[in-house]
Amino acid sequence: MRQNFVRVLGSVAILALVAGGASACKKDEGTSEGSANKACDLKIGFFGALSGADAGLVTPMKQGADLAVEKYNAENADCKVTVQAFDSQGKADLAGGLATSAAADTKIVAMVGPAFSGESEVALPIFDTAGLAVISPSATRPSLSEKGWKVFHRGVGNDFSQGPAIASYIKNVLKAQKAFVIDDQSAYGAGLADEAKKGLGPLVIGTDKVVDNAQEFGAQISKVKTSGATVLFYAGYTEEAAPFLKQLRAAGWTGTFIGGDGINDANMLSVAGQKDVEGTIATCPCGPATAAKGTFVTDFKAKYSVDPGVYADVSFDLANIYLEAIKSGKTSRADIQAFLSTYNKAGSASGVTYKWEPNGELDPAQVKVWAFKATAGAWAPDVEVPKA
């Protein structure tokens, strides 16, 4: 389950040996003069659900990172970088083994991800021991920055921003008088629900929970309908949210379904179906990837034949930060960690200035929250929502 806080034992000794990162490659026949004395064939890891029900949310992030590396390699053919993927399937109980594997590969000098909060809580102690710098493009649970992990960085805002923004949207845009709140009991969902409920206050007339992998929601639907709520805030992921929404509509509930970034993916649209999902709201502590700066949108569509999905532009920028470090000669894990501590530049795609506080949180001035509306089979930017 995503919320299962597993701890992998016995890895500390291994990780201590690999914390130093990669060593420089030797010049040999076929190596250009320009690449001699460089650390070559380094890897940037990507950690997240690349298969399973939640892959729709994470795949665009991986695509963004891949695009950044592809462009870098085209300009640095004498000393290329590769992306090493770690497919967590969105399951925290797989995260420990994957993190241990990543930490043991001395060619991996930086990590984009983990994508989800539950898997982050398992993987980050391992990465911290290994000195492997982490920037998550999407894990929003606030407590991730409160554990003392030196390697942790967040590329977006956390749920202290997203939760109040959701409450603001429900009160001031939807102007609801009665709201029902349901969460999936994951590290992400439970925390986001708590923050939204604080902002909604007495507008919350009922709450409930679902379990991981649930596909039948009769009990919850009955409570929502009898409550008289005109808005349902669902804090969780698409895997359960899509069938829940379909069953709500089949039962005759006509209110507004709103979720956080956990449902802001293509699978929510396709699995729920256009008729049932139309008008659904999904928030994100990020800007619209389809309005990214520079040539990002054009390049992304040329490569993948689709518009960039949520967080694709963020992952592109985060991978480019690591690539900038590598190009400047920061080729060990310790060097890259130090590079991030003083970083202060705007991403070429998102436009966000990436500058981190000592606990790894993004500079609050850079955090934005947007609401997106399911419109004609796509997530359309609706409005930027105040964070409080």
Side-chain angles (χ1 to χ4, degrees), residues 141-149 152 154 158 359-361:
R141 186 174 177 88
S143 62
L144 294 177
S145 64
E146 300 169 358
K147 308 288 188 180
W149 295 319
F152 174 70
R154 202 188 315 260
N158 64 34
N359 63 357
E361 292 287 2

Side-chain angles (χ1 to χ4, degrees), residues 204-236:
V204 178
I205 59 170
T207 64
D208 206 347
K209 298 181 181 295
V210 301
V211 298
D212 190 25
N213 299 318
Q215 293 295 297
E216 200 284 319
F217 305 94
Q220 292 85 1
I221 290 169
S222 177
K223 292 179 183 179
V224 172
K225 290 186 67 179
T226 58
S227 73
T230 59
V231 171
L232 170 62
F233 172 55
Y234 182 88

Side-chain angles (χ1 to χ4, degrees), residues 184-199:
D184 67 354
Q185 304 181 69
S186 68
Y188 157 73
L192 181 58
D194 286 344
E195 295 307 315
K197 284 187 287 188
K198 290 176 186 176

Side-chain angles (χ1 to χ4, degrees), residues 265-287:
D265 64 21
N267 286 352
M268 184 67 189
L269 301 169
S270 60
V271 174
Q274 185 172 331
K275 178 176 178 293
D276 290 333
V277 80
E278 190 77 4
T280 293
I281 303 299
T283 60
C284 181
C286 65

Side-chain angles (χ1 to χ4, degrees), residues 136-138 155-156 286-287 296 311-319 349-350 354:
S136 175
S138 56
V156 294
C286 65
F296 173 76
Y311 294 128
D313 55 335
V314 177
S315 290
F316 178 84
D317 283 346
L318 301 184
S350 72
Y354 293 100

Side-chain angles (χ1 to χ4, degrees), residues 129-367:
T129 299
L132 180 61
V134 165
I135 316 178
S136 175
S138 56
T140 57
R141 186 174 177 88
S143 62
L144 294 177
S145 64
E146 300 169 358
K147 308 288 188 180
W149 295 319
K150 296 180 177 62
V151 300
F152 174 70
H153 305 79
R154 202 188 315 260
V156 294
N158 64 34
D159 290 332
F160 287 154
S161 297
Q162 186 173 201
I166 290 166
S168 174
Y169 188 91
I170 291 172
K171 291 190 295 185
N172 300 321
V173 178
L174 298 178
K175 300 190 182 300
Q177 299 300 310
K178 296 181 179 180
F180 203 99
V181 178
I182 292 180
D183 73 77
D184 67 354
Q185 304 181 69
S186 68
Y188 157 73
L192 181 58
D194 286 344
E195 295 307 315
K197 284 187 287 188
K198 290 176 186 176
L200 290 169
L203 267 64
V204 178
I205 59 170
T207 64
D208 206 347
K209 298 181 181 295
V210 301
V211 298
D212 190 25
N213 299 318
Q215 293 295 297
E216 200 284 319
F217 305 94
Q220 292 85 1
I221 290 169
S222 177
K223 292 179 183 179
V224 172
K225 290 186 67 179
T226 58
S227 73
T230 59
V231 171
L232 170 62
F233 172 55
Y234 182 88
Y237 295 98
T238 290
E239 181 177 8
E240 295 81 26
F244 186 17
L245 176 56
K246 286 183 71 69
Q247 291 171 39
L248 271 169
R249 296 305 188 211
W253 188 74
T254 59
T256 301
F257 190 97
I258 179 170
D261 54 315
I263 71 166
N264 195 336
D265 64 21
N267 286 352
M268 184 67 189
L269 301 169
S270 60
V271 174
Q274 185 172 331
K275 178 176 178 293
D276 290 333
V277 80
E278 190 77 4
T280 293
I281 303 299
T283 60
C284 181
C286 65
T290 52
K293 299 179 181 297
T295 63
F296 173 76
V297 175
T298 301
D299 293 343
F300 191 97
K301 290 182 72 171
K303 181 171 179 60
Y304 300 112
S305 301
V306 293
D307 287 326
V310 67
Y311 294 128
D313 55 335
V314 177
S315 290
F316 178 84
D317 283 346
L318 301 184
N320 273 322
I321 292 171
Y322 288 143
L323 293 166
E324 181 183 342
I326 291 169
K327 188 172 178 63
S328 70
K330 311 299 184 184
T331 53
S332 72
R333 292 177 178 179
D335 284 346
I336 290 177
Q337 175 68 12
F339 182 84
L340 295 181
S341 69
T342 60
Y343 198 82
N344 185 1
K345 293 183 182 179
S348 63
S350 72
V352 170
T353 295
Y354 293 100
K355 177 184 178 182
W356 286 282
E357 299 185 317
N359 63 357
E361 292 287 2
L362 192 65
D363 177 4
Q366 300 302 316
V367 175

Side-chain angles (χ1 to χ4, degrees), residues 41-46 61-85 109-112 296 299-300 303-304 312 315-324 326-327 348:
D41 303 318
L42 297 179
K43 301 176 185 178
I44 295 172
F46 182 91
M61 304 181 211
K62 170 66 160 49
Q63 291 171 329
D66 285 342
L67 182 61
V69 171
E70 180 181 274
K71 291 169 71 69
Y72 176 88
N73 286 339
E75 299 168 1
N76 298 273
D78 62 330
C79 199
K80 295 183 177 181
V81 173
T82 56
V83 177
Q84 178 70 53
V109 293
M111 182 67 67
V112 177
F296 173 76
D299 293 343
F300 191 97
K303 181 171 179 60
Y304 300 112
S315 290
F316 178 84
D317 283 346
L318 301 184
N320 273 322
I321 292 171
Y322 288 143
L323 293 166
E324 181 183 342
I326 291 169
K327 188 172 178 63
S348 63

